[in-house]
Amino acid sequence: MLTIKEIAQRANVSRTTVSRVLNNSGYVSEKSRSAVLKVIEETGYVPSQHAQSLRTKKTKVIGVILPKISTETSSRLVKGIDEILSEAGYQILLANTNLAPEKEIENLRLLKSRHVDGIILSATNTEKELMEEIRELAIPFVAVGQNMPGFSHVVFDDYQAAKDAVQALIKRAHKEIAFIGVGESDPAVGVLRKKGYLDAMKENGLSVAASWVRTGIFDLESGRTCMKEIMESSEQRPTAVVAVTDRLAIGAMQYLKEIGLDIPGDLAVVGMGASELSKFITPSLSTIDFMIEEAGKEAAGIILIMIDKDVSNSIKREVEHRFLQRDSI
């Protein structure tokens, strides 16, 4: 492998000039820069990442913590993050929590020990212990999906998205609308989306039967179980249901098909997340598209600003959403 000294000799420039070209820092004449780049191209020289890290005190690695690494949402988020970071010469290091809150803290500590230049967290909670751990990081940090005052974050308007889903059903003359949610440990999905549903019903003068509201977890079977509970326990069956994720909605649809009901003739269904599967099931699922890939790009952009400009102030971005009308309503 060539050394900087050997490149300097071949290009007939100083070692300082070669270093400036490699690190893109300091003034270098166009003639000297071209000479160095020509040698690098001809020899296929690749600078040592370790050596660069020692000089710049940067690893050019960003840690990304995901709640469930196997989901489509995580894949779309990472795609957006990687598109921006790779263009800037950064690599990403993925960590998985498998929806366990304690793993978020464990992974924050692990990534910090790996000396990453920054961390992007797809957050599922805002518990005090997690917030304290983030404060002690002392490196650029961005949360995605949860509002974290005092920290940089990219959020969705979960409250309005749920209202939009309900409103789409009301416009189609539905008045008895059920709801399948998740636990309140997730403020965005578990709290704000439920509040959006309840407020939309109230603002339109519609009552909500207690039996129409069920809480599940983030999987298909939970959606099926919640829908079964709603249909079996309600004196007055709903004519529509809103689920806070597509997986819950698809699970609900499966149960409705099992008992011989027509979708949307007997009961309309709306999900949230715009998953790939939502387009291909029968009937296709009406859903909220949260523009996840765009959120990943925003998070990556923020982390680069914080690194390059040494910004410690929190930066907030909100990503727009849209309602996708399909056959399930």
Side-chain angles (χ1 to χ4, degrees), residues 276-294:
E276 191 73 10
L277 182 59
S278 68
K279 292 187 293 186
F280 296 106
I281 59 170
T282 304
S284 55
L285 177 64
S286 296
T287 183
I288 298 287
D289 184 356
F290 285 106
M291 320 292 270
I292 302 296
E293 193 172 324
E294 188 62 33

PDB file of all heavy atoms in Angstrom, residues 276-294:
ATOM      1  N   GLU A 276     -45.930  -1.958   1.986  1.00  0.00           N
ATOM      2  CA  GLU A 276     -45.987  -2.529   0.648  1.00  0.00           C
ATOM      3  C   GLU A 276     -47.139  -3.527   0.538  1.00  0.00           C
ATOM      4  O   GLU A 276     -47.847  -3.569  -0.474  1.00  0.00           O
ATOM      5  CB  GLU A 276     -44.654  -3.216   0.328  1.00  0.00           C
ATOM      6  CG  GLU A 276     -44.476  -3.628  -1.111  1.00  0.00           C
ATOM      7  CD  GLU A 276     -44.216  -2.461  -2.057  1.00  0.00           C
ATOM      8  OE1 GLU A 276     -43.995  -1.335  -1.566  1.00  0.00           O
ATOM      9  OE2 GLU A 276     -44.244  -2.684  -3.276  1.00  0.00           O
ATOM     10  N   LEU A 277     -47.339  -4.305   1.602  1.00  0.00           N
ATOM     11  CA  LEU A 277     -48.398  -5.317   1.605  1.00  0.00           C
ATOM     12  C   LEU A 277     -49.782  -4.690   1.458  1.00  0.00           C
ATOM     13  O   LEU A 277     -50.685  -5.298   0.882  1.00  0.00           O
ATOM     14  CB  LEU A 277     -48.329  -6.141   2.894  1.00  0.00           C
ATOM     15  CG  LEU A 277     -49.332  -7.284   3.049  1.00  0.00           C
ATOM     16  CD1 LEU A 277     -49.184  -8.287   1.909  1.00  0.00           C
ATOM     17  CD2 LEU A 277     -49.145  -7.965   4.396  1.00  0.00           C
ATOM     18  N   SER A 278     -49.948  -3.463   1.972  1.00  0.00           N
ATOM     19  CA  SER A 278     -51.266  -2.819   1.950  1.00  0.00           C
ATOM     20  C   SER A 278     -51.785  -2.644   0.526  1.00  0.00           C
ATOM     21  O   SER A 278     -53.003  -2.587   0.309  1.00  0.00           O
ATOM     22  CB  SER A 278     -51.210  -1.466   2.658  1.00  0.00           C
ATOM     23  OG  SER A 278     -50.423  -0.528   1.931  1.00  0.00           O
ATOM     24  N   LYS A 279     -50.897  -2.587  -0.459  1.00  0.00           N
ATOM     25  CA  LYS A 279     -51.312  -2.410  -1.857  1.00  0.00           C
ATOM     26  C   LYS A 279     -51.781  -3.720  -2.488  1.00  0.00           C
ATOM     27  O   LYS A 279     -52.552  -3.709  -3.443  1.00  0.00           O
ATOM     28  CB  LYS A 279     -50.142  -1.865  -2.692  1.00  0.00           C
ATOM     29  CG  LYS A 279     -49.734  -0.457  -2.343  1.00  0.00           C
ATOM     30  CD  LYS A 279     -48.686   0.066  -3.322  1.00  0.00           C
ATOM     31  CE  LYS A 279     -47.370  -0.679  -3.206  1.00  0.00           C
ATOM     32  NZ  LYS A 279     -46.307  -0.063  -4.065  1.00  0.00           N
ATOM     33  N   PHE A 280     -51.302  -4.846  -1.954  1.00  0.00           N
ATOM     34  CA  PHE A 280     -51.488  -6.114  -2.651  1.00  0.00           C
ATOM     35  C   PHE A 280     -52.500  -7.064  -2.004  1.00  0.00           C
ATOM     36  O   PHE A 280     -52.864  -8.074  -2.612  1.00  0.00           O
ATOM     37  CB  PHE A 280     -50.137  -6.818  -2.803  1.00  0.00           C
ATOM     38  CG  PHE A 280     -49.173  -6.050  -3.664  1.00  0.00           C
ATOM     39  CD1 PHE A 280     -48.101  -5.381  -3.103  1.00  0.00           C
ATOM     40  CD2 PHE A 280     -49.368  -5.971  -5.029  1.00  0.00           C
ATOM     41  CE1 PHE A 280     -47.223  -4.653  -3.891  1.00  0.00           C
ATOM     42  CE2 PHE A 280     -48.492  -5.252  -5.832  1.00  0.00           C
ATOM     43  CZ  PHE A 280     -47.417  -4.591  -5.272  1.00  0.00           C
ATOM     44  N   ILE A 281     -52.932  -6.765  -0.776  1.00  0.00           N
ATOM     45  CA  ILE A 281     -53.971  -7.603  -0.189  1.00  0.00           C
ATOM     46  C   ILE A 281     -55.296  -7.309  -0.886  1.00  0.00           C
ATOM     47  O   ILE A 281     -55.438  -6.313  -1.586  1.00  0.00           O
ATOM     48  CB  ILE A 281     -54.102  -7.364   1.335  1.00  0.00           C
ATOM     49  CG1 ILE A 281     -54.432  -5.897   1.615  1.00  0.00           C
ATOM     50  CG2 ILE A 281     -52.866  -7.790   2.067  1.00  0.00           C
ATOM     51  CD1 ILE A 281     -54.811  -5.642   3.054  1.00  0.00           C
ATOM     52  N   THR A 282     -56.263  -8.180  -0.682  1.00  0.00           N
ATOM     53  CA  THR A 282     -57.581  -8.000  -1.283  1.00  0.00           C
ATOM     54  C   THR A 282     -58.651  -7.889  -0.195  1.00  0.00           C
ATOM     55  O   THR A 282     -58.778  -8.799   0.622  1.00  0.00           O
ATOM     56  CB  THR A 282     -57.924  -9.180  -2.211  1.00  0.00           C
ATOM     57  OG1 THR A 282     -56.891  -9.316  -3.200  1.00  0.00           O
ATOM     58  CG2 THR A 282     -59.248  -8.958  -2.909  1.00  0.00           C
ATOM     59  N   PRO A 283     -59.401  -6.769  -0.166  1.00  0.00           N
ATOM     60  CA  PRO A 283     -59.223  -5.576  -1.006  1.00  0.00           C
ATOM     61  C   PRO A 283     -57.995  -4.779  -0.561  1.00  0.00           C
ATOM     62  O   PRO A 283     -57.532  -4.936   0.571  1.00  0.00           O
ATOM     63  CB  PRO A 283     -60.509  -4.788  -0.760  1.00  0.00           C
ATOM     64  CG  PRO A 283     -60.892  -5.148   0.640  1.00  0.00           C
ATOM     65  CD  PRO A 283     -60.532  -6.606   0.786  1.00  0.00           C
ATOM     66  N   SER A 284     -57.476  -3.930  -1.436  1.00  0.00           N
ATOM     67  CA  SER A 284     -56.317  -3.104  -1.072  1.00  0.00           C
ATOM     68  C   SER A 284     -56.698  -2.179   0.092  1.00  0.00           C
ATOM     69  O   SER A 284     -57.830  -1.710   0.185  1.00  0.00           O
ATOM     70  CB  SER A 284     -55.849  -2.293  -2.276  1.00  0.00           C
ATOM     71  OG  SER A 284     -56.897  -1.512  -2.812  1.00  0.00           O
ATOM     72  N   LEU A 285     -55.729  -1.953   0.970  1.00  0.00           N
ATOM     73  CA  LEU A 285     -56.003  -1.258   2.227  1.00  0.00           C
ATOM     74  C   LEU A 285     -55.812   0.255   2.115  1.00  0.00           C
ATOM     75  O   LEU A 285     -54.736   0.732   1.734  1.00  0.00           O
ATOM     76  CB  LEU A 285     -55.079  -1.802   3.322  1.00  0.00           C
ATOM     77  CG  LEU A 285     -55.159  -1.143   4.704  1.00  0.00           C
ATOM     78  CD1 LEU A 285     -56.533  -1.353   5.330  1.00  0.00           C
ATOM     79  CD2 LEU A 285     -54.055  -1.695   5.608  1.00  0.00           C
ATOM     80  N   SER A 286     -56.838   1.005   2.458  1.00  0.00           N
ATOM     81  CA  SER A 286     -56.713   2.456   2.579  1.00  0.00           C
ATOM     82  C   SER A 286     -55.843   2.742   3.797  1.00  0.00           C
ATOM     83  O   SER A 286     -56.003   2.105   4.849  1.00  0.00           O
ATOM     84  CB  SER A 286     -58.088   3.103   2.747  1.00  0.00           C
ATOM     85  OG  SER A 286     -58.882   2.900   1.594  1.00  0.00           O
ATOM     86  N   THR A 287     -54.926   3.698   3.683  1.00  0.00           N
ATOM     87  CA  THR A 287     -53.943   3.877   4.755  1.00  0.00           C
ATOM     88  C   THR A 287     -53.360   5.288   4.755  1.00  0.00           C
ATOM     89  O   THR A 287     -53.533   6.047   3.796  1.00  0.00           O
ATOM     90  CB  THR A 287     -52.817   2.827   4.599  1.00  0.00           C
ATOM     91  OG1 THR A 287     -51.890   2.929   5.675  1.00  0.00           O
ATOM     92  CG2 THR A 287     -52.068   3.019   3.287  1.00  0.00           C
ATOM     93  N   ILE A 288     -52.664   5.610   5.823  1.00  0.00           N
ATOM     94  CA  ILE A 288     -51.933   6.871   5.935  1.00  0.00           C
ATOM     95  C   ILE A 288     -50.468   6.620   5.581  1.00  0.00           C
ATOM     96  O   ILE A 288     -49.826   5.739   6.156  1.00  0.00           O
ATOM     97  CB  ILE A 288     -52.015   7.445   7.363  1.00  0.00           C
ATOM     98  CG1 ILE A 288     -53.458   7.774   7.754  1.00  0.00           C
ATOM     99  CG2 ILE A 288     -51.109   8.672   7.493  1.00  0.00           C
ATOM    100  CD1 ILE A 288     -54.045   8.987   7.083  1.00  0.00           C
ATOM    101  N   ASP A 289     -49.948   7.397   4.639  1.00  0.00           N
ATOM    102  CA  ASP A 289     -48.536   7.310   4.264  1.00  0.00           C
ATOM    103  C   ASP A 289     -47.775   8.369   5.055  1.00  0.00           C
ATOM    104  O   ASP A 289     -47.973   9.566   4.849  1.00  0.00           O
ATOM    105  CB  ASP A 289     -48.379   7.551   2.759  1.00  0.00           C
ATOM    106  CG  ASP A 289     -46.941   7.382   2.289  1.00  0.00           C
ATOM    107  OD1 ASP A 289     -46.052   7.158   3.138  1.00  0.00           O
ATOM    108  OD2 ASP A 289     -46.706   7.485   1.073  1.00  0.00           O
ATOM    109  N   PHE A 290     -46.901   7.930   5.959  1.00  0.00           N
ATOM    110  CA  PHE A 290     -46.141   8.853   6.801  1.00  0.00           C
ATOM    111  C   PHE A 290     -44.821   9.299   6.167  1.00  0.00           C
ATOM    112  O   PHE A 290     -44.026   9.977   6.812  1.00  0.00           O
ATOM    113  CB  PHE A 290     -45.863   8.222   8.169  1.00  0.00           C
ATOM    114  CG  PHE A 290     -47.045   8.191   9.080  1.00  0.00           C
ATOM    115  CD1 PHE A 290     -47.722   7.010   9.326  1.00  0.00           C
ATOM    116  CD2 PHE A 290     -47.492   9.352   9.693  1.00  0.00           C
ATOM    117  CE1 PHE A 290     -48.820   6.980  10.160  1.00  0.00           C
ATOM    118  CE2 PHE A 290     -48.592   9.339  10.530  1.00  0.00           C
ATOM    119  CZ  PHE A 290     -49.258   8.145  10.767  1.00  0.00           C
ATOM    120  N   MET A 291     -44.554   8.895   4.925  1.00  0.00           N
ATOM    121  CA  MET A 291     -43.339   9.329   4.213  1.00  0.00           C
ATOM    122  C   MET A 291     -42.083   8.981   5.025  1.00  0.00           C
ATOM    123  O   MET A 291     -41.253   9.838   5.341  1.00  0.00           O
ATOM    124  CB  MET A 291     -43.380  10.824   3.923  1.00  0.00           C
ATOM    125  CG  MET A 291     -44.750  11.346   3.485  1.00  0.00           C
ATOM    126  SD  MET A 291     -45.260  10.740   1.862  1.00  0.00           S
ATOM    127  CE  MET A 291     -44.584  12.017   0.807  1.00  0.00           C
ATOM    128  N   ILE A 292     -41.961   7.705   5.389  1.00  0.00           N
ATOM    129  CA  ILE A 292     -40.887   7.246   6.275  1.00  0.00           C
ATOM    130  C   ILE A 292     -39.493   7.497   5.692  1.00  0.00           C
ATOM    131  O   ILE A 292     -38.568   7.904   6.399  1.00  0.00           O
ATOM    132  CB  ILE A 292     -41.054   5.736   6.579  1.00  0.00           C
ATOM    133  CG1 ILE A 292     -42.425   5.457   7.213  1.00  0.00           C
ATOM    134  CG2 ILE A 292     -39.929   5.256   7.492  1.00  0.00           C
ATOM    135  CD1 ILE A 292     -42.631   6.099   8.560  1.00  0.00           C
ATOM    136  N   GLU A 293     -39.337   7.232   4.402  1.00  0.00           N
ATOM    137  CA  GLU A 293     -38.027   7.435   3.781  1.00  0.00           C
ATOM    138  C   GLU A 293     -37.597   8.901   3.873  1.00  0.00           C
ATOM    139  O   GLU A 293     -36.426   9.210   4.114  1.00  0.00           O
ATOM    140  CB  GLU A 293     -38.069   6.983   2.328  1.00  0.00           C
ATOM    141  CG  GLU A 293     -36.705   6.867   1.679  1.00  0.00           C
ATOM    142  CD  GLU A 293     -36.760   6.222   0.299  1.00  0.00           C
ATOM    143  OE1 GLU A 293     -37.585   5.297   0.116  1.00  0.00           O
ATOM    144  OE2 GLU A 293     -35.990   6.645  -0.575  1.00  0.00           O
ATOM    145  N   GLU A 294     -38.559   9.797   3.691  1.00  0.00           N
ATOM    146  CA  GLU A 294     -38.269  11.229   3.800  1.00  0.00           C
ATOM    147  C   GLU A 294     -37.831  11.580   5.216  1.00  0.00           C
ATOM    148  O   GLU A 294     -36.945  12.421   5.415  1.00  0.00           O
ATOM    149  CB  GLU A 294     -39.507  12.038   3.413  1.00  0.00           C
ATOM    150  CG  GLU A 294     -39.273  13.527   3.300  1.00  0.00           C
ATOM    151  CD  GLU A 294     -38.264  13.909   2.234  1.00  0.00           C
ATOM    152  OE1 GLU A 294     -38.185  13.209   1.198  1.00  0.00           O
ATOM    153  OE2 GLU A 294     -37.543  14.904   2.432  1.00  0.00           O
TER     154      GLU A 294
END
